[in-house]
Amino acid sequence: MPQNDLVAALLAALENDSDINLHESPIRVTYHGALRLEGEVANIVVKRKARRIAMQLSGLSEIEDRLLLRPGERRSGKALQDAALDALGQEPAFRDIPVRAGQSPGDVTGAWIGVTAQDSVLRLDGEVGSLSHRRLAEVIAWWVPGSCDVHNHMRVRPAEKDNDDEISDAVRMALEKDPMLHAESIDVHTRNREVTLRGAVHSEEQRRMAVYDCWYVPGVHEVHDQMLVRA
């Protein structure tokens, strides 16, 4: 497909998606040697879905995703890095894993997590023992106030094969960590990387946060919300 046609088709597809409001989340699409998405978007659903739509429509395995979440609180650089270090360091799942600033393990052997921040973007480096831990670290980084994007370069050793059960486990973990939710009332099922949520929540806000939590988990391709709201 010619570059101009691809850009026009992608913008039309984004406009037609029910979860993407291009007036609220203006997305710039360019294609000069690489397909690039840029802009400040309202939430994680828009960012993840826009990238997914771009990959499906273009047939490209990689695109330049420069979409940033619009933060509720402005924080960048060292302040953002320190907040991320604190959030990851307090996570019980990482109790025995050194969490430090930078992209090098230093004198650490075995598992470690490194955090750096450039402007409002967090980068995670390191080595952990499971895909669930890798995904949880990214979710927590997204939750840090001021975090507008997360680049996850963490490795899993020994390597694990990803599958739908792994994604379900990570989603359940994210829901359990969210203090706004009662995760025990939400059922999670994943098929072909598409997550379905069933069960009951107490408000539309809880329903929205549960869906967002799914999208924060890397590897999720779609979220089907079949939850009921019971006051």
Side-chain angles (χ1 to χ4, degrees), residues 47-83:
K47 178 176 171 64
R48 298 291 205 204
K49 290 200 76 173
R51 182 178 186 276
R52 185 69 184 156
I53 291 169
M55 293 183 70
Q56 289 177 326
L57 189 63
S58 68
L60 300 172
S61 59
E62 293 293 336
I63 64 169
E64 292 186 18
D65 177 2
R66 299 191 181 184
L67 296 173
L68 300 175
L69 265 60
R70 185 174 303 123
E73 174 182 335
R74 296 286 176 179
R75 183 185 281 169
S76 62
K78 189 175 186 303
L80 179 61
Q81 177 179 277
D82 288 347

Side-chain angles (χ1 to χ4, degrees), residues 104-119:
S104 168
D107 57 356
V108 174
T109 58
W112 64 283
I113 298 174
V115 180
T116 53
Q118 182 175 1
D119 297 326

